[in-house]
Amino acid sequence: MVGPGWTRRRAPPGAAPTMNCRAEVLEVSVEGRQVEEAMLAVLHTVLLHRSTGKFHYKKEGTYSIGTVGTQDVDCDFIDFAYVRVSSEELDRALRKAVGEFKDALRSSGSDGMGQISLEFYQKKKSRWPFSDECIPWELWTIKVNVVNLANEQERQICREKVGEKLCEKIINIVEVMNRHEYLPKMPTQSEVDNVFDTSLKDVQPYLYKISYQITDSLGTSVTTTMRRLIKDTLAL
Amino acid sequence: MLPYAMDTDLSSQDRKDLDKFIKFFALKTVQVIVQARLGEKICTRSSSSPTGSDWFNLAIKDIPEVTHEAKKALAGQLPAVGRSMCVEISLKTSEGDSMELEIWCLEMNEKCDKEIKVSYTVYNRLSLLLKSLLAITRVTPAYRLSRKQGHEYVILYRIYFGEVQLSGLGEGFQTVRVGTVGTPVGTITLSCAYRINLAFMSTRQFERTPPIMGIIIDHFVDRPYPSSSPMHPCNYRAGEDNGAVYPSVEDSQEVCTTSFSTSPPSQLSSSRLSYQPAALGVGSADMGYPVLFAGGLNAAHPHQLLGPGKEGGVPPVPSQPAHGTQADQERMCTPLDGVHYSAATPSSSEDTETVSNSSEGKSGSPHDLLETIFIRKVGAFVNKPINQVNPPDSPETESPLQGSLHSEGSSGSSTGNTHDDFVMIDFKPAFSKDDILPMDLGTFYREFQNPPQLSSLSIDIGAQSMAEDLDSLPEKLAVHEKNVKEFDAFVETLQ
């Protein structure tokens, strides 16, 4: 049986979708009821670093930035707490995606393996008839393995172990963030929607999309469900 | 003159901006660390419009005491090579044992990045670093310890400036780097060294001890650390300073208006940050005091239940009065533990209701909030009907306090002098009306606070011996057997 825990490895260069896209992969083994909280902890921590206040453009080509609030979240099934951006809209969007991923994992069968990806991208306008291009610049992938535990004692150990591993993962995420590698340039007013998600009313994350896929026991991708959570799709 | 590396390339405006950023970054760093060790969940709101007082575009409240301590430690200097700003977090038990848990270090090294834009890139990276700090402060072992602080131990902080002292962390401490930001005058590094050997903690059995009053008294007591700066509990007390002891520091009220410029395709000419002295009352140093921890109903440590409640938790209890003696405090605390908690539901909505109820339309001034505290606190002692039955252990509540309360005499409003011990005020629970019915919410509260003893717990019943119980059994059984049909019918209804 695979015990609870996380590992992290850098994706090999060839695996990145484009040459400039930074890709990080995290692996995790958790109990079924911990999936949601573990995913939210990681996604929120990444988005905390990839969200700014709302931009307010002024006349002379200057802009000011709103304020990002933060709040502590305690996990119920893991001995862990994390900080997220104070934005109910953002939280709802992440919970929706993670909820779908969890349901897909559950219905996939006893093995319960899958991965959820958070991709940050820029839009590049193309001329008609071509549609806008989405160019990813950072990709976070969390591979999940759901374990089944036999008794309460194991569950208690799992609570603590997964909590410890999540702490390590937060440290790893912060380490990547503070390398100050590529970030999209700050856009002009006309370009802001190509870089940031301006649909939220209180904060402004970089444009992102969340997708997931479930694998069967053979390791092949039986169900590939791509769910795009972009502003336009939510509006439909 | 600051001892930075020679940098003739940096304009004087950039240099001024940079110094300002580093200074406020240091202050905000201390706030984040200490607030993360208060023992409660922190929550601040996002605001789509820039407020002008939120440095680094992050909503981080300023606890004035903490800012004051940080500025005292910095003494007008900034972190530089060989001179780091350190926040030491330690734990102190009710028995007086203490242990250093973490040292957070804000350091500067000589590695300069001359090309970087000060008022854009450096600023944004400092903002990112603060976010990282928010995340990392929740993952070191001290966070979980601080969330459980209360009766058995408390968490203290100490700020010092100079050389980092890691010897108190024990063997094998670990280090985590929060991040770095390069600037034209050096690279800022933020890191944490934390103890991993908590053997002291695990082998010790914490017994139930009385509240540790003598240990964390406050600033007014001589410190046991003659050679270093004083330790402070990671909980904020509103009462002792009444907003007046710490001068509202001029530059904390400086408004930071961030205004960035965009330049089409090729990036940025640098933008200017403008600083305007805030109008009175606008700055961030006003009232945003986070409430203290709500460590559970039995964990009532008066020093930790202080401060105007704003964001959830147990309703506030004021500190010992500035002129009170310790003996009075002890007497004060015990009844409050029982009385206060049974009356009040720990919900933030109730706090705000009480504030709005009592403040006569004013909001946000320290005076009103302290009034609120008094109202909450003395509710049990005010307007008690003479014939109300008190439980046997309640006479303590009527000790010198009651005397002093009645001698104050005023009702209906608090006196203006918030330095007095207590004032007599009508207890006005939220949404209650005194004039309609005699049995109103206030009466309910008062009666609920002092319920009569259960008759089954009274001495008579308790004195019955086991033998008597057994003797009475056959009679009881006979009665039950007679009523067996009733019982059967009842069981039928359940199915």
Short mmCIF file of all heavy atoms in Angstrom, two decimals, chain A residues 48-49 51 56 58 61-72 74 81 83 86 167 171 174 177-178 180 185-187 201 203, chain B residues 41-48 50 54 57-59 120 125 128-129 131-132 134 138-139 147 176 178 180 258-262 267:
data_model
loop_
_atom_site.label_atom_id
_atom_site.label_comp_id
_atom_site.label_asym_id
_atom_site.label_seq_id
_atom_site.Cartn_x
_atom_site.Cartn_y
_atom_site.Cartn_z
N LEU A 48 -2.60 32.71 -4.43
CA LEU A 48 -2.25 33.83 -3.56
C LEU A 48 -1.08 34.61 -4.15
O LEU A 48 -1.05 35.85 -4.15
CB LEU A 48 -1.89 33.31 -2.16
CG LEU A 48 -1.25 34.30 -1.18
CD1 LEU A 48 -2.25 35.37 -0.75
CD2 LEU A 48 -0.72 33.56 0.05
N HIS A 49 -0.12 33.87 -4.69
CA HIS A 49 1.05 34.52 -5.26
C HIS A 49 0.82 35.04 -6.66
O HIS A 49 1.60 35.83 -7.17
CB HIS A 49 2.23 33.53 -5.29
CG HIS A 49 2.77 33.19 -3.94
ND1 HIS A 49 2.18 32.26 -3.13
CD2 HIS A 49 3.82 33.66 -3.26
CE1 HIS A 49 2.87 32.16 -2.00
NE2 HIS A 49 3.88 33.00 -2.05
N SER A 51 -2.07 36.50 -7.74
CA SER A 51 -3.20 37.43 -7.81
C SER A 51 -2.75 38.79 -7.33
O SER A 51 -1.97 38.89 -6.37
CB SER A 51 -4.36 36.95 -6.92
OG SER A 51 -4.81 35.70 -7.33
N HIS A 56 -6.75 49.89 -11.62
CA HIS A 56 -7.58 51.03 -12.01
C HIS A 56 -6.74 51.95 -12.87
O HIS A 56 -5.82 52.61 -12.38
CB HIS A 56 -8.08 51.77 -10.77
CG HIS A 56 -8.99 50.93 -9.93
ND1 HIS A 56 -10.33 50.83 -10.17
CD2 HIS A 56 -8.74 50.12 -8.87
CE1 HIS A 56 -10.87 50.00 -9.28
NE2 HIS A 56 -9.93 49.56 -8.49
N LYS A 58 -5.72 55.09 -15.07
CA LYS A 58 -6.05 56.51 -15.06
C LYS A 58 -5.64 57.11 -16.38
O LYS A 58 -5.12 56.44 -17.27
CB LYS A 58 -5.32 57.19 -13.91
CG LYS A 58 -5.69 56.65 -12.55
CD LYS A 58 -4.80 57.26 -11.49
CE LYS A 58 -4.63 56.28 -10.34
NZ LYS A 58 -3.60 56.71 -9.41
N GLY A 61 -1.90 57.11 -18.50
CA GLY A 61 -1.19 55.86 -18.71
C GLY A 61 -0.68 55.26 -17.41
O GLY A 61 0.16 54.38 -17.42
N THR A 62 -1.18 55.76 -16.30
CA THR A 62 -0.79 55.16 -15.02
C THR A 62 -1.96 54.33 -14.50
O THR A 62 -3.10 54.49 -14.93
CB THR A 62 -0.45 56.22 -13.98
OG1 THR A 62 -1.60 57.05 -13.77
CG2 THR A 62 0.71 57.09 -14.42
N TYR A 63 -1.66 53.49 -13.58
CA TYR A 63 -2.72 52.69 -12.97
C TYR A 63 -2.43 52.50 -11.50
O TYR A 63 -1.27 52.54 -11.07
CB TYR A 63 -2.86 51.33 -13.66
CG TYR A 63 -1.65 50.44 -13.58
CD1 TYR A 63 -1.54 49.45 -12.60
CD2 TYR A 63 -0.61 50.56 -14.50
CE1 TYR A 63 -0.44 48.63 -12.53
CE2 TYR A 63 0.50 49.74 -14.43
CZ TYR A 63 0.58 48.77 -13.45
OH TYR A 63 1.69 47.97 -13.39
N SER A 64 -3.46 52.34 -10.75
CA SER A 64 -3.27 52.02 -9.34
C SER A 64 -3.85 50.62 -9.09
O SER A 64 -4.62 50.11 -9.90
CB SER A 64 -3.97 53.06 -8.46
OG SER A 64 -5.34 53.12 -8.79
N ILE A 65 -3.44 50.06 -7.97
CA ILE A 65 -3.77 48.66 -7.70
C ILE A 65 -4.55 48.56 -6.40
O ILE A 65 -4.20 49.20 -5.40
CB ILE A 65 -2.48 47.82 -7.58
CG1 ILE A 65 -1.59 48.06 -8.79
CG2 ILE A 65 -2.81 46.36 -7.42
CD1 ILE A 65 -0.31 47.26 -8.78
N GLY A 66 -5.61 47.80 -6.42
CA GLY A 66 -6.41 47.58 -5.23
C GLY A 66 -5.67 46.72 -4.21
O GLY A 66 -4.51 46.37 -4.38
N THR A 67 -6.36 46.40 -3.17
CA THR A 67 -5.75 45.70 -2.03
C THR A 67 -6.24 44.25 -1.97
O THR A 67 -7.43 43.99 -2.10
CB THR A 67 -6.13 46.41 -0.73
OG1 THR A 67 -5.68 47.75 -0.81
CG2 THR A 67 -5.49 45.73 0.47
N VAL A 68 -5.31 43.37 -1.74
CA VAL A 68 -5.66 41.95 -1.61
C VAL A 68 -5.72 41.60 -0.13
O VAL A 68 -4.75 41.81 0.61
CB VAL A 68 -4.59 41.08 -2.31
CG1 VAL A 68 -4.83 39.62 -2.02
CG2 VAL A 68 -4.62 41.33 -3.81
N GLY A 69 -6.85 41.09 0.29
CA GLY A 69 -6.97 40.62 1.67
C GLY A 69 -6.69 39.13 1.72
O GLY A 69 -6.75 38.43 0.69
N THR A 70 -6.38 38.64 2.90
CA THR A 70 -6.09 37.21 3.03
C THR A 70 -6.82 36.66 4.24
O THR A 70 -7.21 37.40 5.14
CB THR A 70 -4.58 36.96 3.24
OG1 THR A 70 -4.14 37.69 4.38
CG2 THR A 70 -3.79 37.39 2.03
N GLN A 71 -7.03 35.35 4.24
CA GLN A 71 -7.64 34.73 5.41
C GLN A 71 -7.13 33.33 5.62
O GLN A 71 -6.73 32.64 4.66
CB GLN A 71 -9.16 34.75 5.29
CG GLN A 71 -9.73 34.04 4.10
CD GLN A 71 -11.22 34.30 3.99
OE1 GLN A 71 -11.67 35.30 3.45
NE2 GLN A 71 -12.00 33.40 4.52
N ASP A 72 -7.14 32.94 6.88
CA ASP A 72 -6.68 31.60 7.25
C ASP A 72 -7.80 30.59 7.03
O ASP A 72 -8.96 30.89 7.28
CB ASP A 72 -6.29 31.58 8.74
CG ASP A 72 -4.92 32.18 8.97
OD1 ASP A 72 -3.98 31.76 8.28
OD2 ASP A 72 -4.80 33.06 9.82
N ASP A 74 -8.70 26.57 8.02
CA ASP A 74 -8.32 25.34 8.73
C ASP A 74 -8.90 24.16 8.01
O ASP A 74 -10.08 24.18 7.62
CB ASP A 74 -8.89 25.36 10.16
CG ASP A 74 -8.15 26.34 11.06
OD1 ASP A 74 -7.00 26.69 10.74
OD2 ASP A 74 -8.74 26.75 12.07
N ALA A 81 -3.29 24.11 8.09
CA ALA A 81 -3.97 25.38 7.84
C ALA A 81 -3.20 26.12 6.76
O ALA A 81 -1.99 25.99 6.65
CB ALA A 81 -4.03 26.23 9.11
N VAL A 83 -3.28 29.83 3.97
CA VAL A 83 -3.78 31.19 3.75
C VAL A 83 -4.30 31.28 2.32
O VAL A 83 -3.66 30.80 1.39
CB VAL A 83 -2.65 32.23 3.94
CG1 VAL A 83 -3.14 33.62 3.62
CG2 VAL A 83 -2.13 32.18 5.37
N SER A 86 -8.71 36.60 0.09
CA SER A 86 -10.09 36.85 0.51
C SER A 86 -10.93 37.23 -0.70
O SER A 86 -11.10 38.41 -1.02
CB SER A 86 -10.13 37.99 1.54
OG SER A 86 -9.63 37.56 2.77
N CYS A 167 2.91 20.95 4.40
CA CYS A 167 3.82 22.03 4.82
C CYS A 167 5.03 22.07 3.91
O CYS A 167 5.47 23.13 3.46
CB CYS A 167 4.27 21.81 6.27
SG CYS A 167 2.98 22.08 7.48
N ILE A 171 6.28 25.14 1.23
CA ILE A 171 7.65 25.68 1.19
C ILE A 171 8.20 25.57 -0.23
O ILE A 171 8.85 26.49 -0.74
CB ILE A 171 8.54 24.93 2.20
CG1 ILE A 171 8.09 25.25 3.63
CG2 ILE A 171 10.01 25.30 2.01
CD1 ILE A 171 8.76 24.43 4.70
N VAL A 174 6.57 28.22 -2.49
CA VAL A 174 7.12 29.56 -2.19
C VAL A 174 8.52 29.69 -2.79
O VAL A 174 8.90 30.74 -3.30
CB VAL A 174 7.13 29.78 -0.66
CG1 VAL A 174 8.10 30.86 -0.25
CG2 VAL A 174 5.73 30.10 -0.17
N MET A 177 8.12 30.43 -6.42
CA MET A 177 7.59 31.78 -6.62
C MET A 177 8.65 32.83 -6.46
O MET A 177 8.68 33.84 -7.17
CB MET A 177 6.46 32.06 -5.62
CG MET A 177 5.24 31.21 -5.78
SD MET A 177 4.49 31.51 -7.37
CE MET A 177 3.08 30.43 -7.30
N ASN A 178 9.52 32.60 -5.51
CA ASN A 178 10.51 33.63 -5.22
C ASN A 178 11.77 33.51 -6.05
O ASN A 178 12.75 34.20 -5.80
CB ASN A 178 10.84 33.62 -3.72
CG ASN A 178 9.82 34.43 -2.94
OD1 ASN A 178 9.96 35.63 -2.78
ND2 ASN A 178 8.76 33.78 -2.50
N HIS A 180 11.55 34.50 -8.93
CA HIS A 180 11.32 35.67 -9.78
C HIS A 180 11.67 35.38 -11.23
O HIS A 180 12.40 36.13 -11.88
CB HIS A 180 12.10 36.88 -9.27
CG HIS A 180 11.74 37.23 -7.86
ND1 HIS A 180 10.46 37.49 -7.45
CD2 HIS A 180 12.51 37.32 -6.75
CE1 HIS A 180 10.46 37.75 -6.16
NE2 HIS A 180 11.68 37.65 -5.70
N LYS A 185 4.48 40.81 -18.76
CA LYS A 185 4.67 42.24 -18.53
C LYS A 185 3.35 42.85 -18.11
O LYS A 185 2.28 42.39 -18.50
CB LYS A 185 5.14 42.91 -19.81
CG LYS A 185 6.54 42.52 -20.21
CD LYS A 185 6.93 43.15 -21.51
CE LYS A 185 8.33 42.66 -21.89
NZ LYS A 185 8.64 42.88 -23.28
N MET A 186 3.47 43.91 -17.36
CA MET A 186 2.25 44.59 -16.94
C MET A 186 1.60 45.20 -18.18
O MET A 186 2.23 45.92 -18.94
CB MET A 186 2.58 45.68 -15.92
CG MET A 186 2.82 45.10 -14.54
SD MET A 186 1.38 44.19 -13.93
CE MET A 186 2.16 42.77 -13.23
N PRO A 187 0.35 44.91 -18.40
CA PRO A 187 -0.30 45.31 -19.65
C PRO A 187 -0.85 46.72 -19.62
O PRO A 187 -1.11 47.28 -18.55
CB PRO A 187 -1.46 44.31 -19.75
CG PRO A 187 -1.82 44.01 -18.33
CD PRO A 187 -0.55 44.10 -17.53
N LYS A 201 -14.60 40.68 -8.81
CA LYS A 201 -14.79 42.07 -8.42
C LYS A 201 -13.81 42.56 -7.37
O LYS A 201 -13.65 43.76 -7.17
CB LYS A 201 -16.23 42.32 -7.96
CG LYS A 201 -16.69 41.54 -6.76
CD LYS A 201 -18.13 41.97 -6.43
CE LYS A 201 -18.54 41.56 -5.04
NZ LYS A 201 -18.58 40.11 -4.80
N VAL A 203 -10.45 40.90 -6.63
CA VAL A 203 -9.03 40.63 -6.88
C VAL A 203 -8.85 40.32 -8.36
O VAL A 203 -9.81 40.14 -9.11
CB VAL A 203 -8.48 39.46 -6.02
CG1 VAL A 203 -8.50 39.81 -4.56
CG2 VAL A 203 -9.22 38.19 -6.29
N LYS B 41 -7.33 32.77 13.89
CA LYS B 41 -7.33 32.92 12.44
C LYS B 41 -7.41 34.40 12.09
O LYS B 41 -8.17 35.15 12.67
CB LYS B 41 -8.54 32.19 11.85
CG LYS B 41 -8.37 30.68 11.91
CD LYS B 41 -9.67 29.94 11.75
CE LYS B 41 -10.21 30.01 10.36
NZ LYS B 41 -11.25 29.01 10.14
N ILE B 42 -6.63 34.76 11.10
CA ILE B 42 -6.61 36.15 10.67
C ILE B 42 -7.44 36.26 9.40
O ILE B 42 -7.43 35.36 8.55
CB ILE B 42 -5.15 36.59 10.36
CG1 ILE B 42 -4.27 36.36 11.57
CG2 ILE B 42 -5.11 38.05 9.93
CD1 ILE B 42 -4.59 37.20 12.76
N CYS B 43 -8.16 37.35 9.28
CA CYS B 43 -8.97 37.55 8.07
C CYS B 43 -9.00 39.03 7.75
O CYS B 43 -9.38 39.84 8.58
CB CYS B 43 -10.39 37.03 8.32
SG CYS B 43 -11.48 37.27 6.91
N THR B 44 -8.58 39.38 6.56
CA THR B 44 -8.69 40.77 6.12
C THR B 44 -9.40 40.79 4.78
O THR B 44 -9.40 39.81 4.03
CB THR B 44 -7.30 41.44 5.96
OG1 THR B 44 -6.52 40.68 5.04
CG2 THR B 44 -6.57 41.50 7.29
N ARG B 45 -10.00 41.92 4.48
CA ARG B 45 -10.82 41.99 3.28
C ARG B 45 -10.06 42.55 2.10
O ARG B 45 -9.22 43.43 2.26
CB ARG B 45 -12.04 42.87 3.57
CG ARG B 45 -12.96 42.24 4.59
CD ARG B 45 -14.17 43.09 4.81
NE ARG B 45 -14.93 43.23 3.57
CZ ARG B 45 -16.04 43.91 3.47
NH1 ARG B 45 -16.50 44.55 4.52
NH2 ARG B 45 -16.69 44.00 2.34
N SER B 46 -10.42 42.05 0.95
CA SER B 46 -9.87 42.62 -0.27
C SER B 46 -10.68 43.87 -0.60
O SER B 46 -11.86 43.97 -0.27
CB SER B 46 -10.00 41.63 -1.43
OG SER B 46 -9.33 40.45 -1.15
N SER B 47 -10.01 44.79 -1.26
CA SER B 47 -10.71 46.00 -1.63
C SER B 47 -10.31 46.34 -3.05
O SER B 47 -9.13 46.44 -3.38
CB SER B 47 -10.29 47.13 -0.68
OG SER B 47 -10.60 48.37 -1.25
N SER B 48 -11.33 46.51 -3.89
CA SER B 48 -10.99 46.71 -5.29
C SER B 48 -10.39 48.09 -5.52
O SER B 48 -9.60 48.29 -6.44
CB SER B 48 -12.21 46.51 -6.18
OG SER B 48 -13.19 47.47 -5.86
N PRO B 50 -7.95 51.10 -4.34
CA PRO B 50 -6.81 51.27 -3.44
C PRO B 50 -7.18 52.23 -2.31
O PRO B 50 -7.76 53.27 -2.53
CB PRO B 50 -5.72 51.88 -4.34
CG PRO B 50 -6.42 52.36 -5.55
CD PRO B 50 -7.69 51.63 -5.69
N ASP B 54 -2.64 50.83 2.37
CA ASP B 54 -2.25 49.43 2.39
C ASP B 54 -0.95 49.26 1.62
O ASP B 54 -0.95 49.17 0.41
CB ASP B 54 -3.35 48.56 1.78
CG ASP B 54 -4.56 48.50 2.69
OD1 ASP B 54 -4.36 48.46 3.92
OD2 ASP B 54 -5.67 48.49 2.16
N ASN B 57 0.01 46.70 -1.43
CA ASN B 57 -1.30 46.26 -1.93
C ASN B 57 -1.82 45.03 -1.21
O ASN B 57 -2.54 44.22 -1.78
CB ASN B 57 -1.22 45.95 -3.44
CG ASN B 57 -0.63 47.11 -4.20
OD1 ASN B 57 0.42 47.00 -4.83
ND2 ASN B 57 -1.27 48.25 -4.11
N LEU B 58 -1.43 44.90 0.05
CA LEU B 58 -1.91 43.80 0.86
C LEU B 58 -2.60 44.35 2.09
O LEU B 58 -2.11 45.31 2.70
CB LEU B 58 -0.73 42.91 1.31
CG LEU B 58 -0.20 41.93 0.28
CD1 LEU B 58 1.06 41.25 0.81
CD2 LEU B 58 -1.24 40.87 -0.04
N ALA B 59 -3.70 43.72 2.45
CA ALA B 59 -4.43 44.18 3.64
C ALA B 59 -3.81 43.50 4.86
O ALA B 59 -4.16 42.38 5.21
CB ALA B 59 -5.91 43.81 3.51
N TYR B 120 8.85 49.92 -9.09
CA TYR B 120 7.91 49.03 -9.71
C TYR B 120 8.26 47.59 -9.34
O TYR B 120 7.56 46.93 -8.59
CB TYR B 120 7.88 49.22 -11.23
CG TYR B 120 7.12 48.12 -11.89
CD1 TYR B 120 5.76 48.00 -11.71
CD2 TYR B 120 7.77 47.14 -12.62
CE1 TYR B 120 5.06 46.96 -12.26
CE2 TYR B 120 7.07 46.09 -13.18
CZ TYR B 120 5.72 46.01 -12.99
OH TYR B 120 5.04 44.97 -13.53
N ARG B 125 7.90 42.84 -5.95
CA ARG B 125 8.54 41.64 -5.41
C ARG B 125 8.48 41.61 -3.90
O ARG B 125 8.38 40.55 -3.29
CB ARG B 125 9.99 41.56 -5.89
CG ARG B 125 10.07 41.17 -7.35
CD ARG B 125 11.45 40.94 -7.82
NE ARG B 125 11.46 40.59 -9.23
CZ ARG B 125 12.57 40.36 -9.92
NH1 ARG B 125 13.75 40.44 -9.33
NH2 ARG B 125 12.48 40.05 -11.20
N LEU B 128 5.17 40.27 -3.15
CA LEU B 128 5.15 38.82 -3.32
C LEU B 128 5.81 38.14 -2.12
O LEU B 128 5.35 37.10 -1.64
CB LEU B 128 5.89 38.46 -4.61
CG LEU B 128 5.71 37.04 -5.12
CD1 LEU B 128 4.32 36.87 -5.71
CD2 LEU B 128 6.76 36.71 -6.16
N LEU B 129 6.87 38.76 -1.64
CA LEU B 129 7.58 38.18 -0.51
C LEU B 129 6.72 38.19 0.74
O LEU B 129 6.73 37.25 1.54
CB LEU B 129 8.89 38.95 -0.27
CG LEU B 129 9.87 38.39 0.77
CD1 LEU B 129 10.18 36.93 0.52
CD2 LEU B 129 11.16 39.20 0.75
N LYS B 131 3.49 37.95 0.72
CA LYS B 131 2.53 36.85 0.55
C LYS B 131 3.16 35.52 0.91
O LYS B 131 2.54 34.66 1.56
CB LYS B 131 2.04 36.80 -0.90
CG LYS B 131 1.16 37.96 -1.30
CD LYS B 131 0.86 37.90 -2.79
CE LYS B 131 0.03 39.07 -3.23
NZ LYS B 131 -0.10 39.13 -4.69
N SER B 132 4.40 35.35 0.49
CA SER B 132 5.10 34.12 0.84
C SER B 132 5.25 34.01 2.36
O SER B 132 5.12 32.92 2.93
CB SER B 132 6.49 34.09 0.20
OG SER B 132 6.39 34.11 -1.20
N LEU B 134 3.21 35.21 4.56
CA LEU B 134 1.90 34.81 5.08
C LEU B 134 1.75 33.30 4.99
O LEU B 134 1.26 32.65 5.92
CB LEU B 134 0.78 35.49 4.28
CG LEU B 134 0.50 36.95 4.63
CD1 LEU B 134 -0.29 37.63 3.53
CD2 LEU B 134 -0.27 37.05 5.94
N ARG B 138 2.40 29.87 8.44
CA ARG B 138 1.41 28.86 8.83
C ARG B 138 1.95 27.44 8.78
O ARG B 138 1.23 26.52 9.19
CB ARG B 138 0.17 28.95 7.93
CG ARG B 138 -0.88 29.94 8.38
CD ARG B 138 -0.42 31.35 8.29
NE ARG B 138 -1.45 32.31 8.65
CZ ARG B 138 -1.23 33.60 8.80
NH1 ARG B 138 -0.02 34.09 8.62
NH2 ARG B 138 -2.24 34.42 9.12
N VAL B 139 3.15 27.27 8.26
CA VAL B 139 3.61 25.90 8.10
C VAL B 139 4.75 25.51 9.03
O VAL B 139 5.12 24.34 9.08
CB VAL B 139 4.02 25.60 6.62
CG1 VAL B 139 2.88 25.91 5.69
CG2 VAL B 139 5.27 26.32 6.22
N ARG B 147 -1.70 28.22 18.00
CA ARG B 147 -3.16 28.09 17.93
C ARG B 147 -3.72 27.43 19.17
O ARG B 147 -4.90 27.55 19.48
CB ARG B 147 -3.57 27.28 16.69
CG ARG B 147 -3.36 27.99 15.36
CD ARG B 147 -4.30 29.15 15.14
NE ARG B 147 -5.68 28.77 15.12
CZ ARG B 147 -6.37 28.44 14.03
NH1 ARG B 147 -5.78 28.44 12.86
NH2 ARG B 147 -7.64 28.12 14.11
N VAL B 176 14.22 27.71 6.91
CA VAL B 176 13.44 27.80 5.68
C VAL B 176 13.61 29.21 5.13
O VAL B 176 13.53 30.19 5.88
CB VAL B 176 11.95 27.45 5.92
CG1 VAL B 176 11.31 28.34 6.97
CG2 VAL B 176 11.16 27.54 4.63
N VAL B 178 12.21 32.16 3.09
CA VAL B 178 10.94 32.63 2.57
C VAL B 178 11.14 33.21 1.17
O VAL B 178 10.36 32.97 0.26
CB VAL B 178 10.32 33.69 3.51
CG1 VAL B 178 8.97 34.15 3.00
CG2 VAL B 178 10.21 33.14 4.93
N THR B 180 13.82 36.10 -1.46
CA THR B 180 14.79 37.19 -1.57
C THR B 180 14.30 38.21 -2.59
O THR B 180 13.54 37.87 -3.51
CB THR B 180 16.17 36.69 -2.06
OG1 THR B 180 15.99 36.12 -3.37
CG2 THR B 180 16.75 35.65 -1.15
N THR B 258 -0.09 54.21 -4.52
CA THR B 258 0.71 53.56 -5.54
C THR B 258 0.12 53.87 -6.89
O THR B 258 -1.07 53.73 -7.12
CB THR B 258 0.71 52.05 -5.35
OG1 THR B 258 -0.64 51.61 -5.30
CG2 THR B 258 1.40 51.68 -4.07
N SER B 259 0.96 54.31 -7.74
CA SER B 259 0.49 54.64 -9.07
C SER B 259 1.56 54.19 -10.03
O SER B 259 2.70 54.62 -9.96
CB SER B 259 0.27 56.15 -9.15
OG SER B 259 -0.12 56.50 -10.43
N PHE B 260 1.20 53.26 -10.85
CA PHE B 260 2.17 52.72 -11.77
C PHE B 260 1.84 53.19 -13.17
O PHE B 260 0.72 53.48 -13.50
CB PHE B 260 2.14 51.20 -11.72
CG PHE B 260 2.47 50.67 -10.37
CD1 PHE B 260 1.47 50.38 -9.46
CD2 PHE B 260 3.78 50.46 -10.00
CE1 PHE B 260 1.78 49.89 -8.21
CE2 PHE B 260 4.09 49.97 -8.75
CZ PHE B 260 3.08 49.68 -7.85
N SER B 261 2.86 53.23 -13.99
CA SER B 261 2.57 53.63 -15.36
C SER B 261 2.82 52.46 -16.27
O SER B 261 3.65 51.59 -16.00
CB SER B 261 3.44 54.82 -15.78
OG SER B 261 4.76 54.39 -15.93
N THR B 262 2.07 52.42 -17.33
CA THR B 262 2.28 51.38 -18.32
C THR B 262 2.90 52.03 -19.53
O THR B 262 2.65 53.19 -19.83
CB THR B 262 0.94 50.78 -18.75
OG1 THR B 262 0.12 51.82 -19.28
CG2 THR B 262 0.25 50.17 -17.57
N GLN B 267 8.61 47.58 -22.09
CA GLN B 267 8.14 47.81 -20.73
C GLN B 267 8.63 49.13 -20.18
O GLN B 267 9.41 49.85 -20.72
CB GLN B 267 8.53 46.61 -19.86
CG GLN B 267 7.75 46.44 -18.57
CD GLN B 267 6.31 46.82 -18.63
OE1 GLN B 267 5.98 47.98 -18.77
NE2 GLN B 267 5.42 45.86 -18.51
#
